[in-house]
Amino acid sequence: MCLVLLCGKEERVLGRMQAPGFCPHCGGKVEAVDVERRWRLCFLPICFKIKRNYSCTICARRLVLYY
């Protein structure tokens, strides 16, 4: 319980743009979202990452790219 109170994760959306391709489930457009993530321990920053997430604009499913 104490660990939950001392650790924190913040997410902030940096930008959104249309990505190439279509959703395999419903055929909707794919949107790329840049997200900034910060992990904190007792208000001290531990980790800082910027990731790109892909999702469908119609069915709102999170899409995963396989190379």
Side-chain angles (χ1 to χ4, degrees), residues 2-26:
C2 292
L3 186 60
V4 174
L5 297 175
L6 297 176
C7 295
K9 177 179 152 184
E10 297 176 13
E11 290 188 357
R12 186 175 70 147
V13 175
L14 298 176
R16 296 176 182 265
M17 64 183 90
Q18 186 175 349
F22 296 98
C23 175
H25 303 285
C26 69

Side-chain angles (χ1 to χ4, degrees), residues 2-56:
C2 292
L3 186 60
V4 174
L5 297 175
L6 297 176
C7 295
K9 177 179 152 184
E10 297 176 13
E11 290 188 357
R12 186 175 70 147
V13 175
L14 298 176
R16 296 176 182 265
M17 64 183 90
Q18 186 175 349
F22 296 98
C23 175
H25 303 285
C26 69
K29 293 181 182 178
V30 177
E31 181 179 49
V33 180
D34 294 327
V35 179
E36 174 186 88
R37 294 182 180 155
R38 292 184 184 191
W39 287 84
R40 296 181 182 258
L41 178 65
C42 294
F43 302 105
L44 296 172
I46 296 174
C47 183
F48 175 77
K49 289 184 181 180
I50 296 177
K51 290 193 136 195
R52 181 167 283 176
N53 295 335
Y54 295 94
S55 62
C56 177

